Amino acid sequence: MTGGGRHPARWSRGALLAVSLSLSLTYLCYNLITGSPPGPGPLRLHPPPRPDPRLQPRAHTLTLQERLRAPQGLGPRTETLSPGRDVTGRGETPKPGRVTPSSSPDPGIRETPTPGKDPPNPSLGTGGLNPGTGSSSPDPGSRETPHPGGDITGRETSSPGLRPPGPGPGPTAVPATAQGTRSPGAAEDCEPSPEPVTGRSWVSREPEASSAAAAAAAAGGTRALLEAIRAHPAVRAVGVEPHFFDRNYEKGLEWYRELMPRTWDGQITMEKTPSYFVTREAPRRIFSMAKETKLIVVVRNPVTRAISDYTQTLAKKPDIPTFEVLAFKNRSLGLVDASWSAIRIGIYALHLENWLQFFPLSQIHFVSGERLIIDPAGEMGKVQDFLGLQRLVSDKHFYFNKTKGFPCLRKAEEGSPPRCLGKSKGRTHPSIDTDVIHRLHKFYRPFNLMFHQMTGEDFDWEQDEEGDTPSARDVVK
Ligand SMILES: Nc1ncnc2c1ncn2[C@@H]1O[C@H](COP(=O)(O)OS(=O)(=O)O)[C@@H](OP(=O)(O)O)[C@H]1O
């Protein structure tokens, strides 16, 4: 990376923030590469991580993705994942064969051969985003584009329906391939930097060998998180979503480096690209670049996330069918259309499983999208702890803006005026039929349970089952 025209900072630590892991995602942090500034240093590739003992198999041996592909779906096995019995247990031992030598160079990291090549995964197809379809530059201000093969609504067009996951009553279709993050047309990011629509994740880099943090968020709130963490003097973040590890990977690591802000010694560079969380190839690519990268994932009640996603799409494409229509393959049968990206992104356990093949749970921090609204300082405190930063972003940085209905930053950066996120964040959701909301809660329940068991964290989504999750407008009055 060149330093021309930039301040004479030395490369030091960097972090990438990405989030709707939400899938919205949602955020993730990672360690970048070795090498000295300003040019790209030699990349050090790392062997696949040792299996995390916490991830040893418990009650079953198939991965969630394998189970989703299996004819019986998740059905009978779901109950073996009883809550509280195995907080971190994913019931899966990372299989040696899961990360196998690559037969072709990794385009994003040209300096060294890629150690791992994912076996074909019919469940996820080519991944949530097609690298070949990305624009030549980061996507400021645009939401997710439809995944090739999907239609305008973000629906996978060729997904075989499987039986319902878990004990839920109605039949549910689980798609064979993952979608991008945000459904197409989701709202652009507002200020200060336009943000693309896709999921929600972050990545940060650390160009100088040590560790960088990257965050990928999967659910709603990635922009809020990034803007808040940017208030920390030890964090430098790129405003746009680079989409390097999904659609721009072919451009190579140098392209990515050029995009990232330079950091002073001791600073972390971050980015957020929500779609990383649901991109099949992203974990391997990030791991290849920097295995110690820290990842942040913002998760939100998947039902609310789906509605938020739809709301953003609707704002751009008012003619799309109703949420109720899109959410089902067969509404009278209660057959949820999990091939619709707005639905699929919220199956957090499915996506997380992919990340845990490469990164230990200890390297991933989960931010509650709900708490980020209700108690932004509290959530940011945990994020700073996770990143090894002093807790400098605190209560005094936030105030509740009644007009906006959300917390706003008193001071985003040194000397900058107070500000709220733009109008694409915090939109009023359309009213959705209650029975549809209930059915979706039922659909997600087993997946949420798995996610809870995988992460050891309870996001209290069960209590939201009466409807769409209240916004800060409802909670803070
Ligand atoms: N402080 C603050 N201000 C405004 N909005 C906030 C804030 N904190 C969290 N949120 C929630 O963030 C949701 C958008 O999430 P993302 O930024 O991850 O969206 S995106 O994936 O990048 O498009 C957005 O979802 P919607 O309410 O559905 O618009 C908000 O609920």
Side-chain angles (χ1 to χ4, degrees):
M1 189 171 302
T2 64
R6 298 184 184 179
H7 57 73
R10 287 183 297 149
W11 289 116
S12 56
R13 291 196 309 159
L16 304 179
L17 271 185
V19 197
S20 141
L21 201 191
S22 145
L23 270 223
S24 113
L25 112 69
T26 214
Y27 302 113
L28 76 132
C29 291
Y30 71 77
N31 216 338
L32 204 63
I33 4 174
T34 65
S36 51
L43 290 176
R44 194 165 50 207
L45 296 177
H46 310 281
R50 284 167 169 252
D52 188 327
R54 291 169 301 182
L55 307 180
Q56 293 305 307
R58 291 291 179 121
H60 68 284
T61 54
L62 293 177
T63 65
L64 178 55
Q65 292 183 19
E66 287 165 343
R67 288 162 59 179
L68 287 170
R69 288 200 303 273
Q72 76 276 18
L74 287 175
R77 288 199 173 92
T78 303
E79 69 274 6
T80 63
L81 300 168
S82 53
R85 185 169 66 83
D86 179 10
V87 171
T88 59
R90 304 169 40 247
E92 168 67 6
T93 306
K95 295 173 183 155
R98 296 185 77 82
V99 183
T100 55
S102 175
S103 57
S104 60
D106 189 323
I109 303 175
R110 296 195 176 89
E111 294 90 333
T112 52
T114 304
K117 175 188 173 188
D118 295 329
N121 186 332
S123 171
L124 292 177
T126 57
L129 296 169
N130 183 347
T133 60
S135 61
S136 59
S137 57
D139 300 335
S142 71
R143 291 280 186 169
E144 182 66 359
T145 50
H147 185 279
D151 60 22
I152 195 173
T153 64
R155 187 190 303 280
E156 185 65 30
T157 51
S158 58
S159 63
L162 296 181
R163 288 180 49 197
T172 302
V174 179
T177 58
Q179 303 282 326
T181 39
R182 273 281 189 194
S183 295
E188 69 284 355
D189 223 351
C190 337
E191 66 261 355
S193 43
E195 167 185 272
V197 177
T198 54
R200 317 149 188 226
S201 349
W202 325 66
V203 188
S204 73
R205 73 173 180 180
E206 189 150 7
E208 197 167 7
S210 41
S211 65
T222 55
R223 176 53 60 183
L225 173 62
L226 186 66
E227 294 309 318
I229 197 66
R230 281 174 119 176
H232 198 293
V235 172
R236 297 294 314 281
V238 61
V240 297
E241 292 179 358
H243 284 275
F244 176 63
F245 296 104
D246 47 39
R247 64 177 74 145
N248 289 318
Y249 198 61
E250 304 294 328
K251 294 187 170 70
L253 189 56
E254 194 55 26
W255 175 89
Y256 187 52
R257 282 178 161 159
E258 284 294 335
L259 198 64
M260 305 306 281
R262 305 198 65 178
T263 52
W264 296 94
D265 226 359
Q267 284 186 317
I268 292 175
T269 307
M270 304 186 82
E271 68 123 310
K272 89 158 180 94
T273 302
S275 48
Y276 292 160
F277 188 70
V278 298
T279 297
R280 169 77 176 155
E281 299 86 355
R284 176 178 55 78
R285 289 170 173 176
I286 293 174
F287 181 82
S288 295
M289 185 181 69
K291 70 173 183 178
E292 275 147 33
T293 296
K294 290 180 177 177
L295 311 169
I296 302 174
V297 180
V298 181
V299 289
R300 175 186 198 180
N301 185 320
V303 177
T304 310
R305 201 218 70 79
I307 297 170
S308 169
D309 198 329
Y310 172 79
T311 305
Q312 299 211 36
T313 304
L314 191 63
K316 286 198 164 183
K317 302 179 193 301
D319 295 334
I320 60 172
T322 64
F323 181 89
E324 289 86 342
V325 165
L326 292 170
F328 291 93
K329 284 202 164 171
N330 185 325
R331 186 171 171 185
S332 55
L333 292 177
L335 187 66
V336 173
D337 189 352
S339 71
W340 182 28
S341 62
I343 298 290
R344 186 174 178 89
I345 290 168
I347 307 176
Y348 302 137
L350 174 71
H351 309 296
L352 178 59
E353 185 178 62
N354 191 27
W355 288 88
L356 291 175
Q357 305 303 311
F358 294 85
F359 294 95
L361 202 54
S362 58
Q363 254 169 268
I364 308 175
H365 179 69
F366 299 93
V367 171
S368 159
E370 286 82 13
R371 290 196 292 266
L372 191 60
I373 295 172
I374 296 164
D375 178 21
E379 281 304 289
M380 292 315 297
K382 289 184 266 183
V383 169
Q384 291 167 90
D385 292 347
F386 172 70
L387 295 176
L389 300 173
Q390 215 183 325
R391 283 194 175 208
L392 297 180
V393 178
S394 63
D395 270 335
K396 69 179 191 321
H397 285 81
F398 302 96
Y399 72 100
F400 184 75
N401 184 305
K402 283 189 177 160
T403 310
K404 175 73 179 168
F406 282 88
C408 296
L409 275 173
R410 234 180 253 294
K411 190 168 86 167
E413 290 169 342
E414 202 59 46
S416 66
R419 62 195 170 77
C420 300
L421 297 186
K423 62 179 176 2
S424 70
K425 307 295 182 186
R427 283 195 173 99
T428 302
H429 294 175
S431 173
I432 307 295
D433 290 352
T434 315
D435 65 298
V436 169
I437 302 248
H438 283 160
R439 178 67 194 100
L440 289 180
H441 277 300
K442 202 165 271 183
F443 167 77
Y444 280 119
R445 197 175 296 142
F447 296 114
N448 290 345
L449 179 59
M450 288 179 194
F451 188 64
H452 168 55
Q453 291 169 333
M454 292 163 83
T455 62
E457 295 188 40
D458 186 359
F459 295 94
D460 286 335
W461 292 326
E462 293 298 308
Q463 71 183 20
D464 298 330
E465 296 200 1
E466 287 314 302
D468 194 1
T469 307
S471 73
R473 275 184 291 268
D474 308 311
V475 176
V476 187
K477 270 190 179 147

